[in-house]
Amino acid sequence: LVNVAKNSFLIGGGRENIIENNIVVNSARVAMQYDDRNRDGYINDGWAWHHVLPHGIAYMWTTLNAVPYTEGVWSERYPRLAQLKTDESTDVNDPDHPINPSYSVVKNNVSITPSGDMFDIADSVYTFSEIEDFAQYATAEDAGWDAESFTLSADSPVFTDLPEFEAIPVEKIGRKK
């Protein structure tokens, strides 16, 4: 993602999001913002409270209850969805409580930007998901990034800093003729 005018990734809570092996160059705000708006709304009456309170009536609950998520193709394709605990007595710190940003994987992501902290991830996302292995570089040169080809050089420090980072097959991306 190159020269994105705002956040390159904006994840508003959610579960089982997979954000792996990306390069973000010159994101105007942050490369990645991953918040916990539903948890914050439920626990702290944060700005998204009206989506999760009162239990059983708000938008998120009615939407969840409108589909048979505990059976059939839903539970087969999304087994963790079937594990959601929607009982009023469910501990809010249980990863299977629907308000929690659980079971996501955010790793091996790179930010190339001259300004500040480029990853803004809520503490609860770290608690309930796998967040690891990201690297920041101030310049394309620091990262071994070639802006012409959208690739990293073979000796890019990214491959040392993030040993599991996989070179992106840029030649396979785009329209086919």
Side-chain angles (χ1 to χ4, degrees):
L1 302 168
V2 180
N3 297 326
V4 175
K6 293 187 179 179
N7 299 325
S8 294
F9 288 93
L10 173 58
I11 302 105
R15 307 168 66 80
E16 296 189 64
N17 296 302
I18 308 296
I19 304 103
E20 288 185 271
N21 214 76
N22 296 284
I23 301 173
V24 176
V25 182
N26 295 326
S27 188
R29 290 195 181 158
V30 295
M32 181 176 303
Q33 180 179 346
Y34 194 149
D35 65 44
D36 61 353
R37 61 189 67 181
N38 288 335
R39 180 178 171 80
D40 183 56
Y42 191 87
I43 294 172
N44 303 316
D45 292 332
W47 72 267
W49 68 269
H50 58 286
H51 292 295
V52 292
L53 295 175
H55 187 86
I57 299 171
Y59 172 75
M60 292 295 192
W61 299 110
T62 57
T63 302
L64 177 65
N65 291 323
V67 295
Y69 68 92
T70 61
E71 57 193 52
V73 294
W74 291 88
S75 63
E76 289 170 25
R77 176 64 176 97
Y78 305 103
R80 285 197 181 120
L81 188 60
Q83 295 173 190
L84 287 177
K85 298 176 182 172
T86 59
D87 184 287
E88 290 281 349
S89 65
T90 301
D91 179 6
V92 295
N93 293 316
D94 185 322
D96 291 320
H97 194 295
I99 61 164
N100 292 321
S102 302
Y103 308 114
S104 291
V105 177
V106 179
K107 69 180 191 175
N108 291 325
N109 293 290
V110 175
S111 173
I112 304 170
T113 186
S115 61
D117 186 12
M118 294 308 295
F119 295 93
D120 180 11
I121 300 172
D123 291 343
S124 68
V125 178
Y126 283 96
T127 300
F128 296 107
S129 292
E130 178 186 343
I131 312 298
E132 59 185 28
D133 300 334
F134 48 88
Q136 294 180 212
Y137 304 92
T139 67
E141 184 177 275
D142 292 343
W145 168 259
D146 179 5
E148 298 277 326
S149 66
F150 295 97
T151 61
L152 295 168
S153 62
D155 64 345
S156 167
V158 169
F159 300 115
T160 302
D161 296 342
L162 302 174
E164 293 183 25
F165 189 88
E166 297 176 20
I168 298 171
V170 175
E171 68 282 356
K172 295 181 179 179
I173 298 172
R175 287 192 291 173
K176 304 280 186 200
K177 292 183 180 185

Tab-separated table of all heavy atoms in Angstrom, residues 110 112 135-137 139-145 152-163 165:
chain	number	residue	atom	x	y	z
A	110	VAL	N	5.245	-4.352	7.478
A	110	VAL	CA	6.313	-3.370	7.387
A	110	VAL	C	5.710	-1.994	7.110
A	110	VAL	O	4.814	-1.858	6.282
A	110	VAL	CB	7.285	-3.735	6.229
A	110	VAL	CG1	8.335	-2.671	6.027
A	110	VAL	CG2	7.912	-5.099	6.476
A	112	ILE	N	7.026	1.888	6.052
A	112	ILE	CA	8.112	2.766	5.619
A	112	ILE	C	7.547	4.170	5.591
A	112	ILE	O	6.748	4.515	4.712
A	112	ILE	CB	8.647	2.372	4.230
A	112	ILE	CG1	9.102	0.912	4.212
A	112	ILE	CG2	9.777	3.315	3.808
A	112	ILE	CD1	9.418	0.365	2.829
A	135	ALA	N	7.848	-4.167	11.559
A	135	ALA	CA	9.050	-3.347	11.504
A	135	ALA	C	8.739	-2.008	10.867
A	135	ALA	O	7.897	-1.916	9.978
A	135	ALA	CB	10.132	-4.075	10.699
A	136	GLN	N	9.432	-0.992	11.353
A	136	GLN	CA	9.259	0.357	10.830
A	136	GLN	C	10.607	0.884	10.334
A	136	GLN	O	11.631	0.662	10.972
A	136	GLN	CB	8.742	1.286	11.918
A	136	GLN	CG	7.362	0.956	12.382
A	136	GLN	CD	6.880	1.893	13.467
A	136	GLN	OE1	6.137	1.471	14.315
A	136	GLN	NE2	7.271	3.141	13.464
A	137	TYR	N	10.571	1.575	9.220
A	137	TYR	CA	11.759	2.197	8.650
A	137	TYR	C	11.399	3.617	8.257
A	137	TYR	O	10.289	3.878	7.791
A	137	TYR	CB	12.244	1.417	7.420
A	137	TYR	CG	12.497	-0.035	7.727
A	137	TYR	CD1	11.496	-0.985	7.550
A	137	TYR	CD2	13.720	-0.459	8.236
A	137	TYR	CE1	11.707	-2.317	7.857
A	137	TYR	CE2	13.945	-1.794	8.549
A	137	TYR	CZ	12.935	-2.708	8.360
A	137	TYR	OH	13.144	-4.028	8.677
A	139	THR	N	12.907	5.519	5.906
A	139	THR	CA	13.022	5.803	4.474
A	139	THR	C	12.996	4.512	3.676
A	139	THR	O	13.262	3.427	4.196
A	139	THR	CB	14.344	6.532	4.148
A	139	THR	OG1	15.429	5.636	4.385
A	139	THR	CG2	14.510	7.808	4.977
A	140	ALA	N	12.710	4.659	2.385
A	140	ALA	CA	12.744	3.508	1.478
A	140	ALA	C	14.143	2.907	1.445
A	140	ALA	O	14.306	1.681	1.425
A	140	ALA	CB	12.305	3.943	0.083
A	141	GLU	N	15.148	3.760	1.478
A	141	GLU	CA	16.532	3.281	1.475
A	141	GLU	C	16.828	2.434	2.712
A	141	GLU	O	17.459	1.385	2.620
A	141	GLU	CB	17.485	4.480	1.412
A	141	GLU	CG	18.938	4.093	1.317
A	141	GLU	CD	19.831	5.310	1.191
A	141	GLU	OE1	20.010	5.794	0.055
A	141	GLU	OE2	20.343	5.766	2.238
A	142	ASP	N	16.347	2.891	3.880
A	142	ASP	CA	16.548	2.128	5.118
A	142	ASP	C	15.965	0.723	5.018
A	142	ASP	O	16.485	-0.222	5.596
A	142	ASP	CB	15.901	2.830	6.321
A	142	ASP	CG	16.584	4.121	6.698
A	142	ASP	OD1	17.731	4.356	6.269
A	142	ASP	OD2	15.953	4.912	7.439
A	143	ALA	N	14.848	0.596	4.313
A	143	ALA	CA	14.151	-0.685	4.207
A	143	ALA	C	14.608	-1.520	3.016
A	143	ALA	O	14.226	-2.689	2.899
A	143	ALA	CB	12.650	-0.450	4.101
A	144	GLY	N	15.389	-0.915	2.122
A	144	GLY	CA	15.765	-1.637	0.907
A	144	GLY	C	14.608	-1.730	-0.072
A	144	GLY	O	14.487	-2.693	-0.828
A	145	TRP	N	13.764	-0.724	-0.081
A	145	TRP	CA	12.551	-0.686	-0.911
A	145	TRP	C	12.842	0.039	-2.224
A	145	TRP	O	13.382	1.145	-2.226
A	145	TRP	CB	11.457	0.039	-0.148
A	145	TRP	CG	10.240	0.409	-0.942
A	145	TRP	CD1	9.944	1.641	-1.449
A	145	TRP	CD2	9.156	-0.437	-1.307
A	145	TRP	NE1	8.745	1.605	-2.107
A	145	TRP	CE2	8.237	0.336	-2.031
A	145	TRP	CE3	8.875	-1.780	-1.090
A	145	TRP	CZ2	7.062	-0.184	-2.540
A	145	TRP	CZ3	7.697	-2.296	-1.598
A	145	TRP	CH2	6.800	-1.503	-2.312
A	152	LEU	N	11.327	-5.271	-2.454
A	152	LEU	CA	12.440	-5.154	-1.530
A	152	LEU	C	13.666	-5.791	-2.172
A	152	LEU	O	13.551	-6.817	-2.854
A	152	LEU	CB	12.123	-5.879	-0.221
A	152	LEU	CG	10.987	-5.309	0.610
A	152	LEU	CD1	10.590	-6.293	1.714
A	152	LEU	CD2	11.369	-3.962	1.210
A	153	SER	N	14.812	-5.203	-1.946
A	153	SER	CA	16.046	-5.789	-2.464
A	153	SER	C	16.314	-7.116	-1.749
A	153	SER	O	15.815	-7.348	-0.639
A	153	SER	CB	17.222	-4.836	-2.245
A	153	SER	OG	17.418	-4.620	-0.853
A	154	ALA	N	17.097	-7.967	-2.360
A	154	ALA	CA	17.402	-9.276	-1.769
A	154	ALA	C	18.099	-9.136	-0.428
A	154	ALA	O	17.940	-9.991	0.452
A	154	ALA	CB	18.262	-10.092	-2.729
A	155	ASP	N	18.857	-8.039	-0.247
A	155	ASP	CA	19.565	-7.825	1.017
A	155	ASP	C	18.838	-6.838	1.943
A	155	ASP	O	19.437	-6.291	2.861
A	155	ASP	CB	20.997	-7.376	0.757
A	155	ASP	CG	21.076	-6.026	0.049
A	155	ASP	OD1	20.044	-5.565	-0.502
A	155	ASP	OD2	22.166	-5.435	0.046
A	156	SER	N	17.558	-6.641	1.718
A	156	SER	CA	16.765	-5.737	2.554
A	156	SER	C	16.826	-6.173	4.017
A	156	SER	O	16.721	-7.366	4.325
A	156	SER	CB	15.306	-5.740	2.096
A	156	SER	OG	14.489	-5.109	3.067
A	157	PRO	N	16.942	-5.226	4.948
A	157	PRO	CA	16.936	-5.569	6.370
A	157	PRO	C	15.601	-6.163	6.833
A	157	PRO	O	15.538	-6.791	7.886
A	157	PRO	CB	17.235	-4.243	7.068
A	157	PRO	CG	16.866	-3.192	6.091
A	157	PRO	CD	17.106	-3.784	4.739
A	158	VAL	N	14.568	-5.998	6.033
A	158	VAL	CA	13.264	-6.577	6.382
A	158	VAL	C	13.400	-8.081	6.576
A	158	VAL	O	12.857	-8.655	7.522
A	158	VAL	CB	12.196	-6.262	5.309
A	158	VAL	CG1	10.925	-7.073	5.541
A	158	VAL	CG2	11.876	-4.774	5.291
A	159	PHE	N	14.164	-8.728	5.710
A	159	PHE	CA	14.295	-10.183	5.776
A	159	PHE	C	15.094	-10.645	6.999
A	159	PHE	O	14.941	-11.775	7.447
A	159	PHE	CB	14.899	-10.727	4.483
A	159	PHE	CG	14.063	-10.409	3.271
A	159	PHE	CD1	14.542	-9.568	2.281
A	159	PHE	CD2	12.778	-10.921	3.139
A	159	PHE	CE1	13.759	-9.259	1.170
A	159	PHE	CE2	11.994	-10.621	2.036
A	159	PHE	CZ	12.481	-9.790	1.051
A	160	THR	N	15.901	-9.756	7.551
A	160	THR	CA	16.619	-10.051	8.795
A	160	THR	C	15.749	-9.699	9.995
A	160	THR	O	15.637	-10.473	10.943
A	160	THR	CB	17.938	-9.243	8.861
A	160	THR	OG1	18.723	-9.571	7.717
A	160	THR	CG2	18.709	-9.567	10.128
A	161	ASP	N	15.117	-8.522	9.936
A	161	ASP	CA	14.280	-8.057	11.047
A	161	ASP	C	13.017	-8.897	11.206
A	161	ASP	O	12.516	-9.067	12.319
A	161	ASP	CB	13.903	-6.590	10.855
A	161	ASP	CG	15.112	-5.658	10.891
A	161	ASP	OD1	16.180	-6.084	11.391
A	161	ASP	OD2	14.989	-4.522	10.407
A	162	LEU	N	12.493	-9.381	10.097
A	162	LEU	CA	11.289	-10.225	10.099
A	162	LEU	C	11.609	-11.504	9.317
A	162	LEU	O	11.259	-11.635	8.144
A	162	LEU	CB	10.111	-9.501	9.444
A	162	LEU	CG	9.692	-8.161	10.038
A	162	LEU	CD1	8.609	-7.507	9.193
A	162	LEU	CD2	9.216	-8.328	11.468
A	163	PRO	N	12.246	-12.472	9.954
A	163	PRO	CA	12.696	-13.675	9.231
A	163	PRO	C	11.594	-14.441	8.507
A	163	PRO	O	11.869	-15.127	7.524
A	163	PRO	CB	13.314	-14.539	10.332
A	163	PRO	CG	13.620	-13.618	11.448
A	163	PRO	CD	12.640	-12.495	11.359
A	165	PHE	N	9.034	-12.983	6.983
A	165	PHE	CA	8.456	-12.150	5.928
A	165	PHE	C	8.754	-12.785	4.581
A	165	PHE	O	9.875	-13.193	4.302
A	165	PHE	CB	9.017	-10.726	5.972
A	165	PHE	CG	8.305	-9.779	5.049
A	165	PHE	CD1	7.190	-9.098	5.473
A	165	PHE	CD2	8.744	-9.605	3.746
A	165	PHE	CE1	6.516	-8.243	4.618
A	165	PHE	CE2	8.081	-8.749	2.883
A	165	PHE	CZ	6.954	-8.068	3.320
